Amino acid sequence: MHKRINPDFLFNSTQYGFSQAVVSTGKNHIFLSGQVAANSDQSLHSTGMYEQATQCLKSIEKLLAQVHASLSDVTMLRLYIRADASNQQSQNDISRALLDAFGEALPASSWVLVSGLAVSDWLIEIEAQAVTG
């Protein structure tokens, strides 16, 4: 259903946890709002970048399950990273979280640095698009 494209003429994005392009033949498009590392009561799960990115992805996985989809159906991610929290270690932590969550089924993605998120303790917010059927 999804063909992940990582041509030799572009840098190896798979080491960072995403594909350069994803072609999908499905018909059901699922658009998820940005997910953060907060509980249902809006309290923060964790303070580190890896832990926050992992929690975002777990929330995405649980939300997808509600509509009979899974992480393997994700075709695109948009990561909003707080600029003052962006450094090489944070980028490595994000890459590790993506690789842990998606394995070889890496979606396309854009990483955007932002001056801040809705709550000052949030380091990252992740939006997802998925295609099924």
Side-chain angles (χ1 to χ4, degrees):
M1 174 181 298
H2 304 303
K3 181 178 180 183
R4 290 144 201 330
I5 300 170
N6 295 291
D8 291 339
F9 64 85
L10 294 173
F11 74 93
N12 177 13
S13 63
T14 61
Q15 66 185 322
Y16 302 114
F18 65 95
S19 293
Q20 292 289 347
V22 178
V23 178
S24 178
T25 58
K27 62 182 178 180
N28 299 315
H29 294 259
I30 305 161
F31 301 89
L32 279 64
S33 294
Q35 300 299 309
V36 297
N39 290 316
S40 59
D41 65 0
Q42 297 184 15
S43 64
L44 191 64
H45 271 281
S46 58
T47 57
M49 183 61 82
Y50 174 78
E51 293 79 11
Q52 285 199 22
T54 297
Q55 185 56 48
C56 293
L57 295 166
K58 285 180 181 177
S59 294
I60 288 169
E61 183 175 32
K62 289 177 182 178
L63 188 53
L64 287 169
Q66 292 291 304
V67 294
H68 309 291
S70 68
L71 289 177
S72 65
D73 297 313
V74 173
T75 56
M76 181 68 185
L77 295 175
R78 272 170 298 287
L79 290 74
Y80 301 98
I81 304 159
R82 212 174 68 199
D84 65 344
S86 179
N87 55 51
Q88 190 61 53
Q89 183 58 52
S90 291
Q91 292 174 11
N92 291 343
D93 289 344
I94 294 166
S95 296
R96 184 165 50 108
L98 292 172
L99 289 164
D100 289 350
F102 290 99
E104 293 184 12
L106 300 172
S109 75
S110 293
W111 297 25
V112 182
L113 296 182
V114 295
S115 60
L117 296 167
V119 173
S120 62
D121 290 335
W122 295 347
L123 303 176
I124 187 168
E125 181 172 342
I126 303 176
E127 290 179 5
Q129 287 177 239
V131 179
T132 62

